[in-house]
């Protein structure tokens, strides 16, 4: 039975459709209803909003954006639709976007956010399943012509065929994804992938269509160029052993020759009938970055990093013209009528007449450009650092402009010959395909301000998201605040938080009369303002002020009354937080301190010295050295402390594990393995200790007696371990999290992805990170509570299930998420 506007805006109908007919069935139902619904139709839902055909169109786009995720997890249909619609036209969404003119929230019939809220009320009243709410808008336009073509990894180049109906892209999948699947062909009308060519094992930097659209050429970082049959995907030619990375490829207008440019200063011409090299064009003094044939086929133009544009006679290989530029030339193009040559110069676009090969003008645009393409004979399509533009060649006037958020990485662009579409590549693998005449959707501000680091405490009250241009503070209620610039002088240095979330600390460097001086800045988290700076005159011979790359480490005591930290070589200082009084100066080996911690009872300070592989323990009250022992410090510190008793354990490169009771001074050394001990974990009561070694084994010992309880041959190298209840949890270098029976060592379960064993065993919520969508779990529960459609690089789960995260699918994108249990609360 066909669905209509009224039924397809009911959450129950959408859930039933995707459950029975899948994503494609749901999309088909929306398409059918859209085709049958007159534009002026309006339906008022009881206790809900008024909906119309526009509602169906936005719903369809929302489903499309998350289609791959929904195919695997159709139960998340409400979550996906709510997180898209809630932020589409709500009045409070406006502050998250940059828009010229009106936004969706200004529309008199704005109602999508109301529809989302109505669905949420219905769901919560019936006690729906757990879900993940996004407290900030997500990437992806719900109206307009924008489509993202997703690849496994970064995309550097794109090209439309002569008809403008197909787009080819060159990407970089490094073997951890699909081996060598780096050349893709897409249908422009539908956004569907038509074919993938397998062969290039490194990133594809140049791509070109043959004039008849039957062949595709590509060049890669692996010093090779390839030619493909587009219809079959068959590999036709392989031109190996180029002198450097291949940067650009171009077919001659008659399709008989292929020009291949590389970083080795040369251009080679190949006969595509025989596959033989015809000739080599020599003359550039540095890397050749771009090549293009004249429409007549008589000449080839090249641009290089030697700041020149050169023109070559194809038949003879002779250089017929040289034009000097003010910068490296990465893009060159002939006009379709062959009368003009264009290239990107320092502050403009250079244009030369092909009759004389003389530069006749420079066209000033709004940016420096890295791509130039003729659109007919009177306009140029250009790629700037933060915008795409179309300029009129005669007067340089901007005919069209499309801003985008620069991510600081190299991009590529393409314009279709029919002047209808453009494509913009990106490092995150999302190629933007859209229409030149389509309205520009609002720009998401968070895309322009990517997050570089996150700092906070698990189950703490707030987190700090550090950007290149400032910071944001996010609390456990999801409120996001931006302190004034003068409140933060930490740049990108790491922050540490006190246990009560009242204070944070971070390294600072000041210039005083006697030179540079390092210190530690205390920061009031309630007022979002710095308080006092903890510093002191460096000890003679220990001053590290000139070692600007030396990492400073610091930590608060469990009761927040003290702070231990470093700014000298081999010295740990302990201050009283209340008044900044320096209590102790603890000297160790004259090398950088790479780890400082308090023991769980706050009685001792533990410091790690990487270069001499030493670990020291000092008494907090007296400053007395309690323990100085050899320890494995790199790549991670093999140290653990029991939570409820004064006992620590230290691993060594010799394969030994030292157990030390801080109160009695009793020491026991166990020869665990012939290979280094790389991680250890004491149970909270200190009675058992789990040990990971470089021979891929996990061993469990009785701490009091030193008796080996069992040994587990791990399938991969385990480098983190924790235990709780009757379970032992490990994380290993094969990107898996494993669960074992604590009593016997018998394997229980394996999760694909990385989870922190300590968080699995101790936190109310924990997450599994991988290249796949993130999965959130309850404490010690291996069945996911809920999933979110993007993959994440870094997360901090604050109290009450508030998640602050940095994106992996969308690199460095800031996510603020809320975990909801079935009742609707966290």
């Amino acid at each position: 039975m066909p669905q209509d506007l009224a039924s397809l805006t009911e959450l129950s109908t959408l859930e039933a459709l995707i459950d029975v007919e899948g994503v494609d069935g749901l999309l088909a139902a929306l398409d059918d209803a859209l085709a049958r619904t007159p534009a002026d139709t309006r339906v008022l839902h009881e206790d809900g909003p008024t909906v119309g055909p526009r509602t169906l169109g936005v719903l369809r786009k929302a489903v499309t954006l998350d289609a791959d995720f929904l195919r695997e997890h159709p139960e998340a249909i409400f979550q996906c639709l709510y997180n898209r619609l809630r932020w589409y036209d709500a009045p409070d969404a406006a502050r998250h976007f940059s828009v010229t003119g009106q936004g969706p929230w200004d529309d008199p019939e704005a109602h999508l956010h109301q529809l989302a809220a109505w669905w949420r009320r219905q769901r919560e009243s019936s006690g729906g399943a757990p879900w993940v709410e996004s407290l900030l808008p997500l990437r992806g336009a719900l109206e307009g012509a924008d489509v993202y073509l997703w690849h496994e990894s970064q995309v550097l180049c794109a090209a439309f065929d002569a008809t403008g109906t197909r787009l080819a892209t060159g990407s970089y999948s490094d073997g951890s994804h699909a081996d060598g699947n780096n050349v893709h062909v897409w249908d422009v009308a539908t956004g569907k992938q038509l074919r993938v060519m397998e062969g290039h094992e490194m990133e594809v930097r140049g791509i070109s269509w043959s004039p008849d659209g039957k062949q595709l050429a590509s060049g890669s970082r692996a010093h090779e160029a390839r030619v493909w049959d587009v219809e079959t995907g068959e590999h036709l030619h392989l031109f190996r052993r180029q002198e450097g990375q291949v940067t650009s490829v171009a077919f001659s207008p008659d399709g008989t020759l292929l020009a291949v440019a590389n970083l080795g200063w040369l251009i080679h011409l190949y006969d595509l009938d025989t596959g033989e090299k015809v000739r080599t064009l020599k003359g550039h003094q540095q890397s050749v970055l771009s090549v293009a044939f004249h429409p007549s086929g008589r000449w080839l133009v090249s641009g290089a990093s030697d700041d020149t544009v050169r023109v070559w006679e194809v038949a003879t290989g002779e250089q017929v013209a040289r034009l000097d530029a003010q910068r490296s030339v990465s893009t060159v193009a002939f006009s379709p009528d062959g009368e003009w040559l264009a290239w990107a110069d320092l502050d403009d676009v250079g244009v030369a007449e092909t009759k004389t090969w003389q530069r006749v003008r420079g066209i000033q645009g709004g940016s420096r450009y890295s791509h130039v393409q003729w659109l007919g004979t009177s306009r140029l399509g250009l790629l700037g650092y933060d915008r795409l533009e179309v300029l009129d060649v005669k007067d340089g006037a901007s005919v069209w402009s499309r801003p985008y958020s620069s991510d600081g990485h190299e991009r590529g662009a393409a314009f279709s010959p029919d002047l209808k579409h453009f494509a913009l590549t990106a490092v995150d693998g999302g190629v933007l395909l859209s229409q030149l005449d389509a309205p520009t959707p609002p720009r998401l501000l968070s895309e322009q301000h990517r997050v570089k680091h996150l700092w906070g405490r698990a189950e703490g009250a707030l987190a700090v998201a550090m950007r290149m241009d400032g910071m944001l503070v996010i609390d456990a209620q999801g409120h996001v605040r931006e302190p004034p610039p003068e409140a933060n002088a930490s740049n990108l240095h790491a922050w540490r938080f006190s246990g009560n979330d009242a204070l944070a600390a971070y390294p600072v460097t000041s210039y005083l009369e006697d030179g540079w001086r390092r210190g530690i800045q205390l920061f009031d988290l309630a007022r979002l303002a710095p308080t006092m700076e903890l510093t002191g005159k460096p000890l003679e011979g220990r001053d590290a002020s000139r070692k600007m790359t030396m990492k400073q480490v610091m930590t608060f005591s469990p009761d927040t009354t003290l702070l231990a930290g470093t700014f000298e070589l081999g010295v740990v200082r302990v201050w009283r937080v209340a008044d900044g009084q320096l209590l102790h100066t603890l000297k160790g080996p004259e090398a950088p301190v790479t780890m400082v911690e308090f023991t769980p009872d706050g009685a001792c300070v533990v410091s790690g010295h990487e270069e001499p592989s030493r670990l020291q323990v000092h008494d907090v009250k007296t400053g007395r050295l309690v323990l100085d022992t050899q320890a494995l410090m790199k790549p991670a510190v093999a140290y653990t402390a029991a939570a409820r008793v004064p006992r620590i354990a230290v691993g060594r490169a010799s394969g030994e594990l030292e157990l030390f009771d801080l109160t009695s001074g009793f020491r026991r050394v166990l020869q665990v393995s012939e290979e280094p001990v790389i991680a250890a974990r004491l149970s909270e009561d200190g009675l058992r200790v789990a040990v990971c070694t470089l021979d891929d084994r996990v061993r469990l010992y009785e701490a009091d007696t030193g008796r080996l309880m069992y040994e587990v041959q791990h399938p991969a190298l385990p480098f983190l371990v924790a235990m709780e209840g009757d379970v032992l949890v490990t994380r290993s270098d094969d990107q898996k999290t494993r669960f074992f029976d604590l009593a016997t060592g018998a394997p229980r379960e394996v999760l694909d992805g990385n989870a922190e064993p300590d968080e699995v065993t101790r936190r109310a919520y924990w997450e599994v990170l991988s290249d796949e969508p993130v999965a959130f779990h309850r404490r010690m529960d291996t069945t996911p509570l809920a999933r979110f459609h993007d993959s994440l690089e870094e997360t901090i789960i604050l109290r009450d299930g508030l998640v602050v995260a940095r994106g992996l699918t969308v690199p460095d994108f800031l996510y603020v998420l809320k975990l909801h249990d079935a009742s609707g609360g966290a």
Side-chain angles (χ1 to χ4, degrees):
M1 177 180 176
Q3 303 290 339
D4 58 15
L5 171 62
S7 64
L8 282 173
T9 48
E10 290 276 2
L11 178 61
S12 58
T13 303
L14 298 171
E15 290 177 327
L17 271 172
I18 198 168
D19 184 54
V20 175
E21 300 185 26
V23 171
D24 294 329
L26 174 56
L27 291 173
L30 289 166
D31 286 338
D32 177 67
L34 270 168
R36 293 186 290 102
T37 305
D40 59 353
T41 304
R42 298 293 183 272
V43 172
L44 174 61
H45 283 288
E46 184 179 354
D47 300 325
T50 300
V51 297
R54 181 186 179 198
T55 314
L56 297 179
V58 173
L59 281 176
R60 191 194 189 288
K61 189 63 176 288
V63 172
T64 302
L65 286 172
D66 295 325
D68 290 340
F69 177 70
L70 287 170
R71 287 188 176 92
E72 295 293 326
H73 305 286
E75 73 282 357
I77 182 67
F78 162 76
Q79 172 183 304
C80 291
L81 292 180
Y82 178 87
N83 286 332
R84 298 287 182 186
L85 271 59
R86 180 264 178 267
W87 289 108
Y88 176 63
D89 56 9
D92 63 336
R95 69 178 186 270
H96 297 289
F97 291 88
S98 171
V99 61
T100 55
Q102 291 190 330
W105 40 84
D106 298 312
D107 193 306
E109 294 190 11
H111 67 283
L112 275 303
H113 68 289
Q114 296 175 345
L115 180 63
W118 182 51
W119 288 347
R120 179 170 181 171
R121 291 193 300 271
Q122 292 178 329
R123 197 169 187 274
E124 291 179 352
S125 65
S126 62
W131 63 293
V132 183
E133 178 185 4
S134 177
L135 301 184
L136 293 177
L138 301 173
R139 182 187 188 189
L142 292 182
E143 284 190 296
D146 287 5
V147 174
Y148 283 92
L149 312 177
W150 288 103
H151 301 65
E152 293 285 350
S153 189
Q154 64 178 336
V155 183
L156 293 176
C157 55
F160 288 92
D161 70 0
T163 65
T165 59
R166 293 173 297 175
L167 178 75
T169 56
S171 64
Y172 176 33
S173 297
D174 60 4
S176 62
H177 301 99
D179 287 340
N181 293 344
N182 291 326
V183 177
H184 310 255
V185 178
W186 308 82
D187 183 275
V188 171
T190 65
K192 298 294 185 182
Q193 185 169 270
L194 300 175
R195 191 162 303 284
V196 179
M197 281 70 162
E198 181 179 345
H200 286 299
E201 294 182 355
M202 301 185 79
E203 67 254 40
V204 172
R205 299 176 59 89
I207 202 159
S208 177
W209 289 88
S210 63
D212 61 7
K214 294 181 179 181
Q215 295 180 11
L216 196 63
S218 55
S220 83
R221 186 179 178 182
H223 297 206
E224 65 181 27
R226 294 173 183 254
V227 179
W228 317 82
D229 184 295
V230 177
E231 183 65 28
T232 65
E234 181 184 356
H235 182 244
L236 301 177
H237 296 290
L238 171 59
F239 304 120
R240 293 185 184 274
R241 299 184 181 89
Q242 303 293 310
E243 290 75 12
Q245 299 178 29
V246 174
T247 55
S248 182
V249 290
F251 283 92
S252 62
D254 60 5
T256 62
L257 295 176
L258 182 72
V260 178
N262 68 60
L263 294 185
W265 307 10
L266 300 177
I267 306 159
H268 300 293
L269 299 179
Y270 293 93
D271 186 303
L272 292 175
D273 287 332
T274 66
E276 298 297 322
K277 185 188 298 185
V278 176
R279 63 185 50 86
T280 297
L281 310 180
K282 302 178 181 180
H284 279 294
Q285 298 303 302
Q286 290 185 30
S287 303
V288 185
L289 304 176
S290 182
V291 289
F293 278 95
H294 187 269
S296 67
R298 179 180 176 184
W299 297 294
L300 181 83
V301 65
S302 58
S305 58
D306 61 4
D307 302 344
T308 67
V309 175
R310 300 176 191 243
V311 183
W312 313 84
E313 186 85 33
V314 172
T316 65
E318 293 183 5
Q319 180 177 303
V320 298
R322 166 179 166 158
L323 298 97
D324 292 326
Q326 300 179 69
R327 59 169 249 188
S328 175
V329 180
S330 61
T331 175
V332 291
F334 283 108
S335 61
D337 59 9
E339 295 185 7
W340 303 99
L341 169 65
W343 68 92
D345 211 337
L346 181 64
D347 292 314
D348 62 4
V349 179
V351 178
E353 194 175 34
T354 58
K355 291 180 181 178
T356 62
W357 302 117
Q358 296 296 312
R359 179 169 177 162
V360 296
R361 66 167 68 93
I363 302 174
Q364 193 75 39
S367 177
R368 290 187 176 183
Y369 302 106
S370 59
H371 176 81
V372 173
Q373 182 178 337
W374 285 88
L375 306 180
T377 58
S378 62
R379 292 180 176 180
L380 286 170
L382 306 163
L383 172 64
Y385 77 96
D386 67 349
R387 73 187 65 200
L388 285 158
E389 286 188 272
V390 175
L391 298 184
D392 187 279
V393 176
K394 293 181 180 179
D395 56 15
S398 179
V399 177
W400 173 88
S401 179
R402 170 69 187 262
Y404 68 87
S405 301
S406 174
D407 56 13
H409 294 274
E410 179 183 357
R411 287 182 182 253
F415 297 86
S416 64
D418 59 7
L419 311 186
K420 292 182 179 180
H421 293 89
F422 69 88
L424 176 67
T425 74
V427 71
D428 63 9
V431 174
L432 171 61
L433 173 65
S434 194
Q435 297 174 8
L436 281 166
D437 60 357
T440 301
R443 298 169 66 198
L444 195 56
L445 292 174
S446 57
E447 286 198 83
Q448 304 171 51
H449 304 286
R450 299 299 179 99
V451 173
K452 298 303 178 184
H453 295 284
L454 296 177
W455 291 302
R457 289 190 316 109
E459 299 185 344
L462 49 80
V464 167
M466 197 63 62
R467 309 179 309 200
M468 293 299 294
D469 59 348
M471 72 173 184
L472 300 172
V473 176
I474 303 101
D475 64 26
Q477 288 71 50
H479 301 137
V480 180
R481 293 174 289 168
E482 186 169 2
E486 60 271 16
N488 169 38
S490 74
N491 297 317
L492 295 179
H493 292 301
W495 288 43
R496 293 300 295 264
F497 290 75
S498 62
N500 60 5
D501 288 313
L503 293 171
Y506 53 80
V508 290
T509 305
S510 307
Y511 187 75
L512 306 177
E513 291 183 358
D514 57 349
W516 290 100
R517 182 72 56 83
R518 288 174 178 257
I520 296 172
Q521 179 68 57
L522 295 181
F523 190 89
D524 186 305
L525 290 167
R527 296 188 296 110
L528 297 185
T531 56
M532 72 178 74
E533 182 179 333
L534 306 176
T535 189
K537 187 175 182 179
L539 299 182
E540 187 174 350
R542 301 297 184 98
D543 189 358
S545 60
R546 295 181 181 179
K547 296 180 181 294
M548 303 307 291
T549 59
M550 189 189 84
K551 181 180 178 181
Q552 287 180 250
V553 291
M554 65 209 70
T555 188
F556 287 94
S557 62
D559 62 4
T560 313
T561 61
L562 305 176
L563 183 135
T566 68
F567 53 78
E568 300 156 282
L569 293 173
V571 179
V572 176
R573 295 181 183 241
V574 181
W575 292 270
R576 188 165 54 220
V577 169
D579 56 7
Q581 178 67 40
L582 178 63
L583 301 179
H584 300 296
T585 300
L586 310 174
K587 300 178 184 179
E590 194 171 331
V593 179
T594 53
M595 165 257 195
V596 174
E597 287 188 17
F598 284 89
T599 52
D601 59 5
C604 295
V605 177
V606 183
S607 58
H609 307 258
E610 182 178 294
E611 191 172 310
S613 299
R614 304 296 296 179
L615 185 132
Q616 293 187 335
V617 181
H618 289 83
D619 183 273
V620 167
K621 289 184 178 180
T622 65
R624 179 177 62 89
L625 181 64
V626 175
L627 177 67
D628 184 358
T629 188
Q630 189 179 22
L632 185 79
M633 301 298 300
K634 190 177 181 181
V637 182
Y639 159 80
T640 177
R644 298 200 297 264
V645 297
R647 175 175 287 172
I648 66 172
V650 180
R652 295 174 178 163
S654 62
E656 295 174 320
L657 179 78
E658 179 177 356
L659 293 161
F660 186 80
D661 289 333
L662 295 167
T663 302
S664 67
F666 177 77
R667 303 169 71 163
R668 172 178 285 111
V669 177
L670 306 177
Q671 186 65 52
V672 174
S673 170
E674 296 300 317
E675 298 291 334
V677 172
I678 58 174
R681 178 63 64 198
L682 279 161
S683 59
E684 291 196 352
D685 57 15
L687 296 179
R688 290 172 293 193
V689 60
V691 185
C692 300
T693 52
L694 205 57
D695 54 5
D696 297 351
R697 283 173 168 80
V698 180
R699 298 170 175 89
L700 187 69
Y701 291 87
E702 286 183 349
D704 283 338
T705 66
R707 182 178 71 88
L708 176 64
M709 298 174 65
Y710 58 77
E711 175 182 306
V712 174
Q713 176 67 56
H714 211 270
L717 179 66
F719 59 89
L720 290 175
V721 62
M723 65 188 96
E724 178 68 21
D726 62 350
V727 174
L728 183 141
V729 185
T730 66
R731 178 177 165 186
S732 51
D733 66 355
D734 61 351
Q735 312 249 330
K736 294 185 185 296
T737 304
R738 291 178 169 84
F739 294 76
F740 301 87
D741 185 277
L742 182 59
T744 66
R748 285 192 177 181
E749 195 164 353
V750 181
L751 299 183
D752 289 328
N754 297 317
E756 296 292 323
D758 271 349
E759 295 190 359
V760 172
T761 57
R762 299 182 183 182
R763 306 303 180 197
Y765 298 101
W766 53 280
E767 75 286 343
V768 178
L769 301 182
S770 68
D771 292 337
E772 300 299 318
V774 62
F776 295 102
H777 296 250
R778 296 184 184 91
R779 180 174 177 269
M780 297 294 289
D781 189 349
T782 57
T783 301
L785 167 74
R787 289 181 170 87
F788 186 67
H789 69 272
D790 279 347
S791 56
L792 305 177
E793 179 76 21
E794 182 181 10
T795 60
I796 298 172
I797 303 183
L798 302 177
R799 65 181 58 157
D800 302 325
L802 195 286
V803 182
V804 181
R806 185 165 62 90
L808 178 63
T809 305
V810 185
D812 299 335
F813 188 84
L814 176 65
Y815 294 91
V816 179
L817 309 173
K818 180 73 172 177
L819 304 181
H820 291 282
D821 285 329
S823 62

